[in-house]
Amino acid sequence: MSADGSQTHVIFTKKDELLEVAQDEKKRKSFLAKVKRPAEYLINWGVKSSLWMYAWGLACCAIEMMAFGAARWDSDRYGIIARGTPRQADLMIVNGPITYMMAPRVKRLFNQMPQPRYVIAMGECAINGGPFWDSYSIVKGADKIIPVDVYIPGCPVNPEALLDGIIKLQDKILKGELAS
Amino acid sequence: MSVNSEIIQAVKDEFGEGMVYAVDRKERRIVLTVKRNILKKLCKFLKEKLEFDHLTSIAAVDRSGLVNGMIESRLLYYDDYEMVYHTWSHSKKTLVEIKVAVPKKNPSAPSITDVWSTANWQEREAFDLMGVKFSGHPDLRRILMPEWWKGHPLRKDYEMSPGKWFLSDEDEKEEYVLDNQKPVFPLDQKLAENVKTEQISEMILRIGPVHPGNHGPWLINLKLDGEVIVDLDTQIGYQHRGLEKIAENRTWTQYLPLSDRYCWLTALSNNLSYVLAVEDILDVEAPARAQYLRTIMLELNRLASHLLWLAAMGIDLGNLSGFFYTFREREWMLDLLEMAAGNRLNYNYGRFGGVTFDVDDKFVKKAKTTMKIFRARLQEYIDLYDGSSIFHARTKGVGTITAKAAKDLGVTGPLLRCTGVKADARKDDPYAAYPELDFKIPTRKNGDVYASYEVRMDEMQISSEIIDQALDNLPKGPVQSNLGRIEPVGEAISRIEEPRGEIATYVIGDGNDKPYRVRVRCAEYINVSALGHMSRGYKIADLIAIIGGIDPCLGGMDR
Amino acid sequence: MGLYAEDQEQLYHGPIPYIILLAGAAVAVGAIAAVGIVFSYIGSLGPASFWNNPWVRGIIGAALWAAVVGAGGLYLTLLERKFMARVQVRYGPNRWGPYGLLQPVADALKLMRKEDIIPDAADSLVMRLAPIVAFAPSFMLFAAVPWTATYVASEMDIGVLYIVAVTSLTPIGVLMAGWGPNNKYNLLGAMRFAAQELAYEVPLILAMIGPIAVAQSLNGVAIVEAQAGYWFGFIPKWNIFPQFFGAIIFFVAFMAETGRIPFDIPDAESEVVHGFTAEYSGMKFVMLLLLEYVHLIAGAALFVVLYMGGYLGPSPINQFAWFTLKLLFVILLMMLIRAVWFRVRIDQIMNLGWKILLPAALINVGFIGVFLALTVQ
């Protein structure tokens, strides 16, 4: 909703539809049905086991994302490595506030990522603007411009919390709950 | 006769008694209120005759909403807007504040970019956020807000409109195309001595807004001849969160955690810079133990920040292992900071008249052990970095800047010290417990990336020694003083040496529970404005090394 | 130090990861060995056999090599990640499969599933063709590498010359990869790659002349056989000892050709964002990624053949094992260099190539000529 109360258009209807379809499917799907389609399961396993994250930084949480990749947490254990180009990334971790100036670029970068692609909103700023909620230049949450799969609260998010969020995302992927 | 009164006398002799209204505030600070027409002359006089070679900050203030307060400018030449210039003399170790009243209708002031080049970006910022026009400015564009933005956010009558909330695909495309067509290359002949090529076949390359070598979202438009940089234009503001405006909508205490977030790597310096300014207005001092704790935490923060710089430098120059080694030790520093302050990055450790938490013996013991191991580990980095001839080849003679140019461009911190200027606010303008501690300021002569590397490595060594000293001398006593309700009246500026240079916070209070104006001068913002000067004539790979040497932090640049 | 017990522990995790590290490498190299055994068997059938018909043999060889070197390249990525992790005080992949051995499988599955993007502005045909053109020649290198005395996929009298000729095809593919996607970073990376390949091709070939002159043959097997025997009964007569400078020139030159740190400027992440692979996704990216690793195997194999006595070694271990061990040693050496060195700048690379390595290689050739003229009658 914009300030004057008028309805604004939502861009990413496509993903929502896909999500609905996926959820319907999930209702029908028992464990047996999943076993019947081992290929899909295998691919999902591959996708979840090799989530390459896009190496970028917006704000504080980017530093914690780096710490997550460094020796103490070592994201490489989970097969998560950082790629510098969106074309080879599967996972975009929105790690900071998105300004109106940055918003078109964030969306563009998301569009540049090939399917299947996932987005994690890391930290309060990416969830809803966080401590800058009443600023004139901040988009109130990453989900206003791109679809988000997992939200991780924190300011800044600890590497443990990020790991937890990523494991949750992996579970979702393996269960086939995410459409894209 | 003290230095301050000498300066006041000299200024009054030059311009006449009636033209300048001068106040000698405490020590190390003079306030001069002048009319617009003599501003430029005064600046020139201060720089050339009185050796005020460093312009700290330029603040634009909208005074129209100011109800209350001891404001010197009301006594002479009052108007709705006001430009406040702070200039520091490295030799005299004193700060001069120049105030110029500007009318609200069609606000304009003479540009002082030809006195101090560093005024360039600061005036652009004042134009962008306050709408003050500067006559004679070479390149007056918006800098922090996008070109399509309407209005000037820091004005008191600015309506906090939410801007565009949603983007359509067309919007995004339009924005991108618009952006692509608009690189402005302010190639200044005076600064472009490095460029040797006469006939160039140009290619324009955009590095950013998101690029692994950028350390955050900002855009560098490069004009290339092959791989040689002919000219470059920097576009920042991708992380502009409007913190100065947010400050006006929070109480004094509520703004403390936000002041951490100018730059997440130097959160403590930012926070304490704000705290010190407010303490200055309130005229209180923190207890001795709190002063020592501040010092310890500031130095721990410096170590953490420098270690991250070293890690990023390693990645920039292609050495992946350095990143992992330095982060190992950085985690120790963060453990200590977390132990004391309760957070890993944004500590919110400062309080008006003290610090948040006291530390216990366990912390002291752990900190001492850490410092001992850290100094041994520091040698490992020197082996890894300095021991590599490729590192020498990549950094020596790259991004060279002279002391004169560095002062002119307002560069501070290791980047200034690596040119041979011994300037450090910890010594020159002491705060916290620094006057009671014994430490050296490392300098180098060459002014290239390698020199700044050496300065930073020395600083890490010295920081760990400062921590040891402070831990040994840690006095007993309370860490907070009870100040009651905080409603300061008046203005103050504080200078702090953060890991990247000088951070200055200028605060105005009008007796309300909210700050009237908070203006921050971050070192990164000014240091990055020197990038063009430092990198013309070098190659793309050198640019990455130079950026690594500048050690930009986007939070500090955009605020 | 009690406070740092956990940090101290981090430095040593027991011997198992190291064993697994070598096991991972053995999987990669063992697969290569398996192909070799098949071909040794075919070779033993005699020239009249149907299986020894050059066409049949060629087709079987090509198919097997494509599978094996592809898998080997993939597992080499795991080896590298594990090895780098050990150097960098961390574990490396260890979650998927025992000790992370399924990590390359997961990567491959995921990359196969990835959307294959051709940007609107791209030169579609060139972009599609580029990975194939770049990738095929590096596979073709293996045709002339002698894994044992009996097995060379295609035994040619001009084996080494063939390898040189094929290597110089790769830059064409890479240049296409730079041009096709219409991305400046791709273009910059590709131009850097081409410049680098050109500069180092010459010293590489000049350094090869040494072993060739000693063996008086361009055939790989002959070059290896010329290194048989021992000096003083225990020093093997490998070319690396008398031609130490030649070996160093060759090593540096092929390191530059494979484009790895310190010569990885074509895909320098912090400068040109992965260079010529920047715009590629999915399987096309896999091909360009494997290019580097296959190049690495091929270069190391060539180094082993020319300077380290190829498959020669004391008899209890068979020739294949000797070859793979030496290959592994060279590869691990390159990985160690990658882990601790910095990246050089483009002009420094050019200086090193044209101004130092080229004259040095020429002098080296001169010395070897004089030496041979004096000793060989």
Side-chain angles (χ1 to χ4, degrees):
Chain A
M1 301 285 279
S2 66
D4 53 358
S6 63
Q7 188 69 42
T8 42
H9 60 286
V10 182
I11 318 133
F12 277 92
T13 50
K14 196 178 155 200
K15 170 121 182 183
D16 295 342
E17 281 165 19
L18 288 175
L19 262 176
E20 274 174 30
V21 172
Q23 273 157 5
D24 286 350
E25 255 186 343
K26 191 193 153 202
K27 278 175 202 160
R28 285 190 281 104
K29 221 191 276 176
S30 63
F31 179 69
L32 270 176
K34 211 180 279 170
V35 175
K36 277 180 192 164
R37 299 167 73 186
E40 189 188 291
Y41 191 80
L42 191 67
I43 295 281
N44 278 344
W45 174 82
V47 171
K48 120 183 165 158
S49 307
S50 141
L51 282 173
W52 291 0
M53 62 184 177
Y54 180 42
W56 68 328
L58 287 173
C60 327
C61 290
I63 308 295
E64 294 296 58
M65 197 175 102
M66 280 166 81
F68 173 59
R72 189 180 280 187
W73 281 277
D74 190 15
S75 64
D76 198 14
R77 289 180 300 157
Y78 294 83
I80 299 166
I81 53 173
R83 293 300 292 183
T85 151
R87 295 282 190 222
Q88 292 147 21
D90 314 298
L91 173 62
M92 175 186 254
I93 299 177
V94 183
N95 45 27
I98 301 173
T99 59
Y100 291 122
M101 200 165 169
M102 193 64 202
R105 280 82 183 172
V106 174
K107 199 177 156 196
R108 190 175 182 84
L109 286 168
F110 176 76
N111 288 342
Q112 281 178 340
M113 282 164 60
Q115 302 268 9
R117 56 194 173 188
Y118 307 97
V119 179
I120 286 181
M122 181 186 185
E124 304 292 348
C125 304
I127 294 174
N128 61 5
F132 317 111
W133 61 275
D134 59 348
S135 166
Y136 50 85
S137 62
I138 294 289
V139 178
K140 276 77 185 165
D143 50 6
K144 298 283 188 296
I145 44 172
I146 51 176
V148 175
D149 297 313
V150 173
Y151 297 85
I152 310 174
C155 188
V157 171
N158 275 6
E160 291 98 329
L162 177 60
L163 184 55
D164 185 42
I166 285 179
I167 289 172
K168 284 203 167 65
L169 177 68
Q170 287 176 339
D171 287 350
K172 276 181 156 186
I173 295 169
L174 192 62
K175 286 177 193 158
E177 285 175 7
L178 299 175
S180 73
Chain B
M1 209 159 132
S2 73
V3 182
N4 283 7
S5 39
E6 270 174 27
I7 293 166
I8 293 173
Q9 200 53 49
V11 171
K12 283 192 171 167
D13 289 349
E14 176 78 14
F15 294 98
E17 192 75 28
M19 298 298 283
V20 181
Y21 180 82
V23 183
D24 187 354
R25 279 256 211 98
K26 291 190 178 172
E27 293 150 19
R28 303 193 304 266
R29 186 160 161 236
I30 304 164
V31 184
L32 304 174
T33 312
V34 297
K35 266 193 170 175
R36 264 193 297 178
N37 53 3
I38 66 161
L39 171 70
K40 208 162 165 177
K41 271 189 224 156
L42 176 64
C43 290
K44 265 204 179 107
F45 177 72
L46 281 173
K47 191 191 177 189
E48 282 156 17
K49 297 280 157 38
L50 297 177
E51 295 174 3
F52 278 82
D53 39 10
H54 174 59
L55 181 73
T56 294
S57 84
I58 298 180
V61 184
D62 180 357
R63 289 195 178 272
S64 53
L66 203 58
V67 201
N68 184 357
M70 185 219 63
I71 310 297
E72 291 89 358
S73 58
R74 290 199 167 231
L75 305 173
L76 195 79
Y77 316 130
Y78 175 74
D79 226 321
D80 269 347
Y81 284 8
E82 190 175 62
M83 296 300 303
V84 185
Y85 302 82
H86 293 100
T87 160
W88 172 263
S89 166
H90 287 308
S91 53
K92 291 197 166 63
K93 316 254 185 263
T94 187
L95 191 80
V96 167
E97 185 175 313
I98 307 166
K99 293 188 165 190
V100 175
V102 174
K104 189 171 185 178
K105 263 190 189 170
N106 192 16
S108 74
S111 167
I112 53 165
T113 38
D114 42 359
V115 185
W116 293 290
S117 302
T118 174
N120 189 332
W121 276 29
Q122 304 215 28
E123 283 178 354
R124 274 176 73 186
E125 191 190 336
F127 165 73
D128 188 357
L129 300 181
M130 198 63 95
V132 180
K133 291 197 176 62
F134 292 89
S135 50
H137 190 283
D139 177 30
L140 202 60
R141 290 178 282 153
R142 279 189 183 273
I143 184 162
L144 291 173
M145 304 305 296
E147 288 286 334
W148 49 262
W149 197 264
K150 299 270 189 303
H152 303 283
L154 280 183
R155 289 183 173 183
K156 287 286 171 185
D157 55 2
Y158 179 75
E159 272 184 39
M160 294 277 260
S161 81
K164 288 183 186 173
W165 274 52
F166 296 94
L167 285 160
S168 67
D169 280 333
E170 287 71 36
D171 281 349
E172 186 229 326
K173 217 172 221 169
E174 227 170 67
E175 180 84 2
Y176 187 75
V177 171
L178 198 79
D179 218 65
N180 231 351
Q181 289 169 342
K182 219 189 295 168
V184 179
F185 291 108
L187 179 65
D188 187 337
Q189 288 305 322
K190 197 172 64 186
L191 293 176
E193 288 152 8
N194 283 327
V195 183
K196 294 180 187 87
T197 42
E198 288 285 311
Q199 288 186 326
I200 43 177
S201 49
E202 286 155 7
M203 165 170 149
I204 288 172
L205 182 73
R206 290 153 54 84
I207 294 200
V210 181
H211 184 282
N214 265 7
H215 301 204
W218 55 305
L219 170 62
I220 307 168
N221 280 308
L222 290 179
K223 196 189 271 184
L224 294 175
D225 173 22
E227 287 233 1
V228 179
I229 297 163
V230 179
D231 200 0
L232 91 174
D233 175 37
T234 324
Q235 170 73 61
I236 64 171
Y238 292 98
Q239 268 307 299
H240 178 63
R241 288 145 295 169
L243 274 161
E244 291 175 12
K245 187 73 175 179
I246 293 177
E248 294 167 14
N249 298 319
R250 300 278 194 280
T251 65
W252 290 92
T253 321
Q254 274 177 342
Y255 187 60
L256 276 171
L258 280 162
S259 64
D260 273 340
R261 286 161 175 79
Y262 302 146
C263 169
W264 34 89
L265 296 175
T266 60
L268 250 151
S269 315
N270 308 335
N271 186 284
L272 277 176
S273 160
Y274 171 62
V275 168
L276 285 178
V278 176
E279 279 180 0
D280 195 352
I281 307 180
L282 291 170
D283 206 7
V284 291
E285 283 234 343
R289 189 176 173 85
Q291 299 282 23
Y292 270 80
L293 285 178
R294 281 177 183 180
T295 311
I296 293 168
M297 294 299 152
L298 279 170
E299 293 304 321
L300 277 174
N301 202 190
R302 187 185 311 276
L303 284 177
S305 170
H306 277 1
L307 283 169
L308 193 121
W309 154 79
L310 195 60
M313 189 89 177
I315 295 181
D316 287 348
L317 296 181
N319 187 328
L320 300 173
S321 299
F323 170 78
F324 293 96
Y325 287 117
T326 49
F327 256 73
R328 181 182 56 186
E329 271 74 64
R330 187 181 142 83
E331 290 296 338
W332 295 356
M333 305 302 156
L334 295 190
D335 282 350
L336 285 170
L337 285 160
E338 194 179 9
M339 210 168 161
N343 200 332
R344 280 164 53 85
L345 281 186
N346 299 327
Y347 315 102
N348 189 16
Y349 194 60
R351 285 288 181 277
F352 306 125
V355 294
T356 322
F357 304 116
D358 200 353
V359 299
D360 51 9
D361 289 344
K362 208 178 151 195
F363 172 86
V364 175
K365 200 179 148 209
K366 186 168 176 175
K368 284 201 155 180
T369 327
T370 307
M371 287 308 126
K372 207 171 129 199
I373 303 175
F374 172 72
R375 280 195 287 271
R377 291 282 164 84
L378 200 58
Q379 194 53 45
E380 284 183 15
Y381 308 141
I382 294 173
D383 290 346
L384 182 65
Y385 283 74
D386 230 351
S388 163
S389 55
I390 297 177
F391 181 72
H392 287 245
R394 285 296 306 275
T395 52
K396 276 186 180 165
V398 170
T400 313
I401 187 166
T402 60
K404 189 165 171 267
K407 280 182 191 168
D408 186 40
L409 289 161
V411 166
T412 47
L415 275 183
L416 179 61
R417 289 195 282 279
C418 77
T419 62
V421 182
K422 207 169 187 172
D424 192 321
R426 289 178 292 175
K427 278 273 190 212
D428 305 341
D429 199 0
Y431 51 92
Y434 287 112
E436 293 154 42
L437 300 171
D438 176 36
F439 62 98
K440 280 188 195 128
I441 304 297
T443 52
R444 289 291 184 280
K445 285 274 177 322
N446 292 341
D448 53 7
V449 177
Y450 184 72
S452 71
Y453 157 84
E454 280 186 310
V455 166
R456 285 197 177 96
M457 294 308 264
D458 284 359
E459 273 183 19
M460 282 203 256
Q461 175 79 24
I462 288 165
S463 284
S464 72
E465 283 162 10
I466 293 177
I467 292 170
D468 268 354
Q469 267 187 54
L471 285 169
D472 288 337
N473 302 331
L474 193 62
K476 295 262 181 296
V479 294
Q480 275 190 26
S481 40
N482 194 356
L483 298 181
R485 206 175 162 81
I486 292 160
E487 285 171 347
V489 182
E491 333 176 350
I493 182 166
S494 71
R495 292 171 72 242
I496 274 194
E497 189 70 21
E498 62 153 310
R500 288 165 183 73
E502 174 198 8
I503 177 169
T505 308
Y506 176 61
V507 177
I508 303 177
D510 63 344
N512 233 321
D513 57 348
K514 293 171 182 170
Y516 184 77
R517 173 87 166 92
V518 176
R519 147 83 197 167
V520 196
R521 178 250 200 237
C522 278
E524 300 88 352
Y525 182 73
I526 309 295
N527 289 357
V528 164
S529 70
L531 180 68
H533 176 82
M534 289 163 82
S535 55
R536 284 190 191 105
Y538 293 103
K539 300 198 167 51
I540 301 176
D542 291 331
L543 177 76
I544 304 298
I546 293 168
I547 293 175
I550 291 179
D551 190 16
C553 170
L554 264 292
M557 276 158 67
D558 295 347
R559 300 185 299 287
Chain C
M1 294 297 265
L3 283 166
Y4 288 98
E6 60 197 56
D7 290 318
Q8 295 298 327
E9 255 173 47
Q10 261 188 17
L11 297 176
Y12 184 70
H13 311 283
I16 294 172
Y18 295 94
I19 297 168
I20 293 309
L21 180 85
L22 289 174
V27 170
V29 181
I32 300 171
V35 178
I37 290 162
V38 170
F39 272 87
S40 308
Y41 174 70
I42 292 173
S44 68
L45 292 177
S49 160
F50 164 74
W51 297 103
N52 247 345
N53 177 314
W55 286 99
V56 177
R57 188 182 152 124
I59 288 167
I60 294 173
L64 278 174
W65 275 119
V68 165
V69 178
L74 268 179
Y75 266 88
L76 211 54
T77 62
L78 178 66
L79 173 68
E80 176 155 45
R81 278 163 81 172
K82 277 289 204 186
F83 185 80
M84 297 276 282
R86 304 318 302 176
V87 176
Q88 292 160 349
V89 290
R90 58 192 179 91
Y91 289 97
N94 67 356
R95 281 296 188 278
W96 317 123
Y99 305 103
L101 278 177
L102 290 181
Q103 188 63 53
V105 180
D107 286 344
L109 278 172
K110 184 212 59 183
L111 284 163
M112 276 195 282
R113 168 75 177 74
K114 284 299 260 188
E115 186 185 359
D116 193 6
I117 294 179
I118 307 280
D120 280 350
D123 190 336
S124 167
L125 182 68
V126 176
M127 188 173 170
R128 279 163 211 267
L129 273 180
I132 301 165
V133 176
F135 190 43
S138 19
F139 262 131
M140 285 158 67
L141 289 179
F142 288 96
V145 174
W147 299 84
T148 70
T150 48
Y151 174 57
V152 191
S154 165
E155 191 167 348
M156 287 176 265
D157 286 341
I158 52 158
V160 178
L161 189 66
Y162 162 82
I163 287 175
V164 171
V166 166
T167 318
S168 48
L169 287 175
T170 310
I172 297 171
V174 172
L175 275 176
M176 284 166 76
W179 179 259
N182 196 7
N183 180 323
K184 283 174 185 169
Y185 287 111
N186 276 50
L187 188 61
L188 267 175
M191 295 308 283
R192 284 173 165 201
F193 187 85
Q196 193 173 320
E197 292 274 307
L198 269 179
Y200 283 84
E201 198 74 36
V202 183
L204 186 83
I205 295 165
L206 286 176
M208 277 178 173
I209 289 177
I212 292 169
V214 170
Q216 311 220 338
S217 165
L218 285 166
N219 187 328
V221 178
I223 290 173
V224 173
E225 291 299 337
Q227 300 176 52
Y230 295 90
W231 284 302
F232 313 119
F234 67 97
I235 302 174
K237 278 190 174 173
W238 294 353
N239 283 333
I240 194 167
F241 299 116
Q243 301 186 24
F244 187 66
F245 290 105
I248 287 186
I249 291 166
F250 184 85
F251 190 79
V252 173
F254 98 73
M255 215 151 70
E257 293 244 321
T258 47
R260 294 166 62 79
I261 286 174
F263 302 108
D264 77 329
I265 56 160
D267 53 15
E269 189 189 345
S270 58
E271 290 162 25
V272 289
V273 206
H274 300 299
F276 57 87
T277 63
E279 201 69 26
Y280 283 92
S281 65
M283 281 314 277
K284 292 202 186 71
F285 165 65
V286 175
M287 289 172 108
L288 288 175
L289 180 76
L290 280 184
L291 168 69
E292 183 185 329
Y293 287 94
V294 174
H295 232 142
L296 176 66
I297 301 177
L302 207 55
F303 185 77
V304 170
V305 167
L306 290 175
Y307 287 100
M308 289 177 68
Y311 48 76
L312 296 175
S315 57
I317 316 177
N318 79 7
Q319 293 183 335
F320 241 95
W322 272 117
F323 193 89
T324 43
L325 278 176
K326 289 174 186 174
L327 190 66
L328 200 59
F329 173 77
V330 177
I331 288 174
L332 287 178
L333 186 65
M334 306 247 323
M335 283 177 180
L336 186 63
I337 289 173
R338 185 184 173 188
V340 295
W341 278 26
F342 288 85
R343 179 189 301 129
V344 294
R345 209 169 52 209
I346 181 139
D347 58 326
Q348 290 162 347
I349 283 193
M350 292 296 123
N351 277 350
L352 181 67
W354 292 113
K355 290 186 187 164
I356 299 172
L357 280 190
L358 182 58
L362 282 171
I363 294 168
N364 183 48
V365 169
F367 269 116
I368 289 163
V370 172
F371 177 74
L372 287 179
L374 293 177
T375 52
V376 182
Q377 296 305 321

